[in-house]
DNA sequence: TTGTAGGCGTTATCAG
DNA sequence: CTGATAACGCCTACAA
C-alpha cells in the first residue's frame, strides 16, 4: 500500500509548529491562546492531518462517549423501534451506540451487566424479558448507570421505563366488548416472561373488572412471541373453543392468528375480531389492517435514553420510574363502526 | 449511595498481593508465573473485585476490540437481518459492535468515514445506498479497514460484498414468464440509488434476454423503498396499464402493491402475480404469502463480517469482492402450479 | 500566554 | 521467575 508515516500525535503537531504539546492541546480544544499561536498550531495540524485519538482521550477523561443498548433479539420490531429512538437521542448528545444481543439468556445478560466494570461504555439501556433475583442484585451495583426498560419490582433503585401492558390489555378487551364481542380468546407468548405475565394479568383483570368470568380454555400460550407460535396457539385454541374475538400479546402473534383464521374459513373482522399489541409497522401492512395497542416503543426508547443522559449529568439523582401510557389504534381487524376504522 | 472505594487497578492488586504490577499483569493474562505468585495475585484480584480497564488496554494495545456497522436506516428489515448476522460473527470473535444510522445522507456518511481516524473502532462495515465519487476517494484512505456492502465500481481497492440484484430480477421475471404472465409491471424504489438502478437494469435485461420489448409505462418508481411508496407506485401504474404480474424492488413495496391490488378488486395471484425482493420475514407473514427473491441479507452480513475479520488478521491482503447469489422463494402470490407453492 | 511534567491504567521490555 | 520502568496519546495543574 502507501508509505504510511506514523500516525500524527500532539507531539508531531507541536514539533512541526515549534510549540509545546500543551499549546497544541489548548488551541485544538478552544482554550485561550494568542492568535499567532493558534494559527501555527492549526496549520501544523492541518498539514499533518492530525486527528485526536479517541481512546487516549477517553483514558484521560474517564469517559468513553459510548452507551450501549442490550436487547434479547435485535430483529424484534419493537426493539428496532426503540433502537431508532435511542440512536437519535444519544447521537444528538454526542454518544456512540453499542448494540448487544442477549438472546434473552439469563447468564448472558448477567455477564453483560458485570462486564460494564471494564468501563467500555458510560452507561447502558437493558431490555430484559425475564428479571430474576440475580438481575436485581446486579442492577444495584453496576459499574455505570443503567436504565432498565420493562417491569422491575418496587424498591429496586434503578432508572426504569415501562409500558403499561395491563392497561393496554384493558383497552383492547374493552374495545372488543364495546363492539359486542363476547367470547374473547387470548393468545399469549411465553407466560413466564415479564411481558407475558403482565399481559395475561391484564386480560384477566379487564374481564374481571366488568364482571366477566375468565375461561382458562380461552387462553392459549405460545413458546415465543412469534408469527409461527401465534399461528399454532390459535389453532390449539380453535380446537377447544369457538371465539368471536382474539386479543394477542403482540402483533406477530396476531398476524399468525389471522392466518389460522383465514385457513379455518373465518372472516376477520366479521366472524372474529383481532387486536394485536405493540402497534408495529406490520399492523398497517397486513390484511386486513390490524387494530393494535401501542405500547409506545419509540417513546420508551426516547425516554430511556433521556433518563440515561440525565443520570450521566447528575449521578447522585434519585432513580426515576416512568410509565408510558398505552394507546389503542383502531383499524380494520376489529370490526366496523369504530372510530378510525378505514372504509 | 454506597461509599465507593476507588476503582481497583493493577497497582492496588499488586500492593495487596505484595508483588509488582508486572506480575499482576502477567498472571492475569496467563503468562508464565510460579503457582504461589499466581495464587496470591488471583486472590488479591478477587478480593478487590479487580476488573481490567478496557480503555487503558485499548490505548496500550492499539486496538479497541470494537467494530461498527453503518447503515442508512436501522429499521429496514434487510439491514436488521444483516445486523443479526454481523453481530453473531463479530461477537464470536470477541468484538463489540457499534451501530450508526446515516439516514443515507451523503455528508453524514463521509463524515462518519473520516471520523474513523479517531480510532474508536478497529474496522467498519458500511452499507451506502448511493456511492458518489467522494465516497470512492474516501474509501481508499480510511484509517481502519472498511468493508462496503453494495455495488462499488471496478478497481476500487476495498473489500466488498454485493448482492446480484440483476440476476435476482431475472429470476423473478423468468419465473413470471414461465407462469404464462405477459404484462409484467415493475415497481421500483428511488432509481437514483445503487439498488434502485441495479434492479431496473435487471428488469430490462431480463425482458431483453428473452426478446421482449420494455414498455416504460410498465415501470413505476417510488420515492422510497417503503410500503406506502409501493402502494402509491402501484396505483400510478394501474392508471396507465393493465398488468398480470408485478415485480417489486423489495418486499415492502410488494406488500404495498398487494394492498393496492386488493382495493382495486384484483385477486392475487389469479389476476395479478406478485414477486417481491429480499425475502424478509414479511414475505411469510403477509396474505397471500409473497414469492420473493432472496438477496441473501444474512449471508451478506456474515460474509462482510468475515471479510473484515480476515483483513484485521492480515492487513496487507488484497481486497476481495464477494457476490452472494440470489435465490427465488416461491410462495402463494405468484400463481399456482409452481414448485414450493403452498396448498 | 506558554512550557514542563505528571498521570489516566495497562502491557512489555529489560535487568536482576 | 520477578521487579522496576518506559511507553500508548492525551489533558491539565503548576510554574515560568
Amino acid at each position: 500500500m502507501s508509505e504510511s508515516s506514523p500516525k500524527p500525535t500532539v507531539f508531531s503537531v507541536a514539533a512541526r509548529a515549534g510549540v509545546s504539546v500543551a499549546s497544541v492541546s489548548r488551541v485544538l480544544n478552544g482554550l485561550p491562546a494568542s492568535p499567532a499561536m493558534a494559527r501555527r498550531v492549526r496549520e501544523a495540524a492541518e498539514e499533518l492531518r492530525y486527528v485526536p485519538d479517541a481512546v487516549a482521550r477517553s483514558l484521560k477523561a474517564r469517559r468513553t462517549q459510548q452507551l450501549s443498548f442490550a436487547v434479547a433479539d435485535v430483529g424484534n420490531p419493537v426493539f428496532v423501534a426503540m433502537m431508532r429512538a435511542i440512536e437519535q437521542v444519544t447521537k444528538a448528545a454526542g454518544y456512540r451506540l453499542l448494540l448487544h444481543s442477549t438472546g434473552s439468556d439469563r447468564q448472558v445478560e448477567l455477564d453483560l451487566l458485570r462486564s460494564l466494570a471494564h468501563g467500555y461504555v458510560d452507561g447502558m439501556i437493558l431490555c430484559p424479558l425475564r428479571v430474576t433475583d440475580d438481575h436485581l442484585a446486579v442492577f444495584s451495583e453496576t459499574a455505570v448507570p443503567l436504565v432498565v426498560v420493562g417491569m422491575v419490582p418496587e424498591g429496586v433503585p434503578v432508572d426504569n421505563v415501562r409500558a403499561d401492558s395491563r392497561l393496554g390489555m384493558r383497552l383492547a378487551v374493552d374495545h372488543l366488548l364495546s363492539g359486542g364481542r363476547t367470547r374473547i380468546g387470548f393468545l399469549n407468548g411465553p407466560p413466564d416472561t415479564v411481558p407475558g405475565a403482565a399481559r395475561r394479568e391484564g386480560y384477566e383483570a379487564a374481564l374481571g373488572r366488568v364482571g366477566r368470568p375468565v375461561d382458562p380454555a380461552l387462553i392459549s400460550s405460545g413458546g415465543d412471541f412469534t408469527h409461527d407460535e401465534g399461528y399454532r396457539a390459535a389453532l390449539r385454541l380453535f380446537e377447544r373453543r369457538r371465539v368471536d374475538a382474539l386479543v394477542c400479546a403482540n402483533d406477530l402473534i396476531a398476524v399468525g392468528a389471522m392466518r389460522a383464521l383465514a385457513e379455518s374459513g373465518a372472516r376477520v373482522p366479521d366472524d372474529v375480531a383481532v387486536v394485536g399489541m405493540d402497534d408495529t409497522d406490520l399492523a398497517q401492512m397486513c390484511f386486513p389492517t390490524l387494530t393494535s395497542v401501542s405500547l409506545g416503543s419509540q417513546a420508551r426508547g426516547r425516554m430511556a435514553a433521556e433518563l440515561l443522559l440525565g443520570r450521566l449529568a447528575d449521578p447522585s439523582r434519585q432513580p426515576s420510574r416512568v410509565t408510558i401510557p398505552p394507546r389503542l389504534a383502531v383499524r380494520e381487524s376489529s370490526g366496523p363502526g369504530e372510530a378510525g376504522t378505514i372504509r
Side-chain angles (χ1 to χ4, degrees), chain A:
Chain A
M1 303 285 169
S2 60
E3 45 168 326
S4 56
S5 46
K7 193 186 160 206
T9 72
V10 276
F11 284 91
S12 15
V13 176
R16 174 134 185 133
V19 303
S20 76
V21 294
S23 299
V24 172
S25 176
R26 273 192 291 259
V27 169
L28 265 28
N29 290 318
L31 296 179
S34 71
M37 159 79 39
R39 201 173 50 73
R40 295 178 62 183
V41 169
R42 280 189 223 291
E43 281 180 10
E46 184 82 14
E47 289 162 10
L48 263 39
R49 297 175 174 243
Y50 168 76
V51 174
D53 183 274
V55 175
R57 189 186 292 236
S58 291
L59 180 60
K60 180 67 186 172
R62 313 175 72 65
R63 301 182 304 154
T64 61
Q65 298 293 76
Q66 298 188 152
L67 301 176
S68 86
F69 179 47
V71 87
D73 171 19
V74 181
N76 186 318
V78 177
F79 296 147
V80 172
M82 290 187 45
M83 190 167 62
R84 276 170 121 148
I86 292 171
E87 214 263 348
Q88 277 192 312
V89 174
T90 56
K91 174 190 292 189
Y95 285 86
R96 292 182 290 270
L97 187 66
L98 272 72
L99 190 67
H100 288 281
S101 191
T102 67
S104 185
D105 182 296
R106 182 178 145 282
Q107 196 55 50
V108 171
E109 279 181 358
L110 294 175
D111 288 346
L112 187 60
L113 286 168
R114 285 193 259 265
S115 81
L116 292 174
H118 289 286
Y120 58 91
V121 288
D122 297 337
M124 169 176 273
I125 297 173
L126 175 72
C127 288
L129 243 43
R130 298 175 176 83
V131 176
T132 66
D133 287 344
D134 285 343
H135 280 85
L136 300 183
V138 176
F139 284 171
S140 24
E141 53 184 32
T142 53
V144 299
L146 172 72
V147 175
V148 176
V149 179
M151 285 298 177
V152 167
E154 298 291 325
V156 180
V158 67
D159 286 300
N160 180 215
V161 178
R162 48 179 67 182
D164 192 343
S165 50
R166 280 183 60 115
L167 177 53
M169 286 302 295
R170 186 165 116 194
L171 295 181
V173 169
D174 285 354
H175 169 65
L176 291 169
L177 290 172
S178 75
R181 311 287 174 162
T182 55
R183 299 181 306 281
I184 304 176
F186 172 43
L187 299 181
N188 200 4
D192 63 328
T193 58
V194 174
R199 283 159 211 199
R200 165 143 191 175
E201 279 178 36
Y203 167 77
E204 299 187 351
L207 289 177
R209 206 179 65 96
V210 294
R212 306 251 179 168
V214 174
D215 176 1
L218 278 174
I219 301 177
S220 185
S221 298
D224 216 336
F225 291 100
T226 59
H227 174 267
D228 286 0
E229 288 291 330
Y231 173 81
R232 282 193 277 271
L235 291 183
R236 285 197 300 274
L237 177 56
F238 299 160
E239 284 175 9
R240 297 195 297 263
R241 288 285 188 279
R242 274 192 60 212
V243 299
D244 59 9
L246 288 173
V247 276
C248 306
N250 76 359
D251 286 354
L252 292 173
I253 291 175
V255 172
M258 290 210 288
R259 171 163 307 274
L261 287 167
E263 289 182 4
S264 62
R267 291 163 306 166
V268 176
D270 309 53
D271 302 324
V272 178
V274 177
V275 177
M277 184 163 266
D278 285 336
D279 194 23
T280 58
D281 291 344
L282 185 59
Q284 308 179 48
M285 297 183 347
C286 61
F287 189 81
T289 56
L290 179 68
T291 293
S292 186
V293 178
S294 166
L295 260 25
S297 318
Q298 295 227 79
R300 276 182 289 158
R302 187 168 5 93
M303 184 55 71
E306 283 168 1
L307 282 189
L308 187 52
L309 293 175
R311 170 155 302 272
L312 253 18
D314 175 11
S316 65
R317 199 189 58 183
Q318 284 296 313
S320 11
R321 168 160 72 218
V322 179
T323 300
I324 304 295
R327 201 179 49 73
L328 182 70
V330 178
R331 301 201 181 83
E332 298 166 353
S333 69
S334 61
E338 297 293 336
T341 300
I342 301 171
R343 52 177 269 132

